[in-house]
Amino acid sequence: MPDNVLWIITDDQPRSTLRSMDSTWRRLAGKGVHFRQGYSAMPLCGPARASMLTSLYPHNHGCDTNMTHQPFVAQRRDRDTVATRLQAAGYDTGYFGKYMNGLAQDPTYVAPGWDRWVALLDGMIDDPRVSVDGEIRRVEGQRAFDRFAARRLRRFIRRRQDSGPWFAVFSPTAPHGPYTPSPQHADDFDAVEWDPPASNEADMSDKPTWLRDLPPQDRRRMRRIYEGKLEELQDVDDQVAKVLDVLRDTGQLGRTWIFFVSDNGYLLGEHRLFHKSQPYEESAGVPFVVRGPGVEPRAVDALVSQVDLMPTTLDLAGLDPDAGRDLDGRSMLGPLTSGDWSGWRRRLAVENTHLDWVLVREGSHVYVEHQGAGEWELYDLARDPHQLRSLQDADVSEWSRKARQLFGSRGLAMRALEQ
């Protein structure tokens, strides 16, 4: 029988915060592969989630704003996702958590491919609505919704301990603001400090023109938000532990693959920026962990993307990931089980089609092209991990050529350009 698959997708989680989640760190990262160089396809919630579900970059799925649900459905992208393919292959499927912004305008919608549907409709208010298989309910706030979704996920897992394989997504709203951790964790990080090297970067002369005159961010506010994220992540960590306990107690842990990622990272004053969407490591980078049967625990530097989730999951199910259409991502299954990443991609793409920038990561270098403005940045992360000094004297003609090729391609052609 094929193995079960669980995706856990947090919301706005900086890559650096993974270590603060004790159970997740010990029981997932410590028991699986921790990717130190995991990336968002596009560091914005809705487009990133569309990329995970379809294994298409935004320049191929066409959804580049945070109101993603309507264009995603209008283009019939919801008709061919990881869920529709696994359901057709006989998997029980369940979605539990935040889906895409815009779902509130279509509240009775249930995405194709999901046997069980517990999705947040209004995530930015104190009294969010929830769709349970198209029936509307209310819960008391985002953290209450996360607990509600996690309980439904655990019930889904228990009920399938003696049945065929299943695929589920748990997508909590945390650590997205407003920051309302549970009373149990509300004071866990009251004294935490926040002063990263790139905070309110003093010399911005190497940055694109539009960034150079940005005012500094309020350090106290950035510290408070960092504290809120860490405290909310403790609630997520508790839910992860409970899910792992259920998998263990029902005898399913040894036959379940678990993928832990976030939709995007988050800037908290680095380069004077706040929020996401921008082409810097704090925003484009995401936590990325895979635990599964036969996987030897290790940390690796392989370049992995959210678009790799779908092909890896289909491969686990014994399906051809490219059946019907070429996927932009590639299956990690072989390297995950062998430990040999020597044949993996050499370069990786990240983009923001709405803000008109593209990023190419290769070796220790990161090249960013701001296409509308005709400006570029190039960093050597081995020498400058905080991206404080762009290599302005470099010849970037070859980098620019690679960027144009990658972001004009899809599927097999795009994957060939990554080698």
Side-chain angles (χ1 to χ4, degrees), residues 4-214:
N4 308 316
V5 181
L6 171 64
W7 293 3
I8 301 172
I9 306 169
T10 58
D11 194 350
D12 287 0
Q13 182 180 357
R15 187 195 278 160
S16 62
T17 62
L18 180 64
R19 187 64 184 86
S20 73
M21 305 173 70
D22 184 63
S23 291
T24 304
W25 183 258
R26 288 187 296 105
R27 301 176 67 180
L28 290 184
K31 301 285 186 180
V33 176
H34 171 216
F35 293 94
R36 289 180 289 233
Q37 298 181 149
Y39 286 90
S40 176
M42 175 171 160
L44 185 62
C45 174
R49 292 167 189 268
S51 288
M52 285 185 262
L53 289 170
T54 62
S55 189
L56 292 172
Y57 276 95
H59 72 268
N60 288 325
H61 65 56
C63 304
D64 67 355
T65 73
N66 234 358
M67 293 301 288
T68 315
H69 169 66
Q70 280 74 20
F72 192 74
V73 173
Q75 297 179 74
R76 298 179 66 83
R77 299 297 185 194
D78 61 339
R79 303 289 170 170
D80 182 20
T81 66
V82 62
T84 61
R85 295 199 190 187
L86 287 178
Q87 186 186 61
Y91 275 67
D92 289 332
T93 59
Y95 197 98
F96 306 89
K98 179 177 178 177
Y99 183 63
M100 294 181 188
N101 292 345
L103 192 59
Q105 299 173 20
D106 194 6
T108 61
Y109 171 89
V110 177
W114 301 104
D115 299 309
R116 194 66 172 145
W117 179 254
V118 180
L120 183 67
L121 297 181
D122 296 325
M124 302 300 126
I125 58 177
D126 292 332
D127 186 23
R129 295 183 297 157
V130 181
S131 169
V132 179
D133 299 329
E135 177 186 335
I136 310 307
R137 305 187 186 184
R138 290 187 183 273
V139 294
E140 299 298 322
Q142 290 186 170
R143 300 296 78 75
F145 168 74
D146 289 347
R147 293 190 293 272
F148 178 85
R151 286 196 301 272
R152 293 303 181 106
L153 168 64
R154 295 195 299 271
R155 182 188 301 177
F156 176 90
I157 293 171
R158 289 191 192 98
R159 289 180 173 177
R160 283 153 183 82
Q161 61 183 304
D162 298 319
S163 62
W166 52 263
F167 168 62
V169 174
F170 174 48
S171 183
T173 62
H176 191 292
Y179 301 100
T180 55
S182 67
Q184 179 183 353
H185 296 298
D187 299 312
D188 283 4
F189 291 89
D190 285 356
V192 71
E193 296 182 358
W194 181 244
D195 190 23
S199 180
N200 287 333
E201 184 175 346
D203 182 0
M204 299 281 280
S205 61
D206 64 312
K207 297 296 182 288
T209 306
W210 75 270
L211 278 173
R212 294 175 189 172
D213 295 326
L214 286 181

Side-chain angles (χ1 to χ4, degrees), residues 4 90 97 216 299 303 330 340 367 408:
N4 308 316
L303 298 170
R330 57 184 64 207
D340 180 7
Y367 172 75

Side-chain angles (χ1 to χ4, degrees), residues 311-333:
T312 307
T313 300
L314 296 177
D315 201 4
L316 283 165
L319 303 175
D320 176 2
D322 294 314
R325 64 175 171 89
D326 297 348
L327 304 187
D328 290 347
R330 57 184 64 207
S331 173
M332 299 181 283
L333 182 56

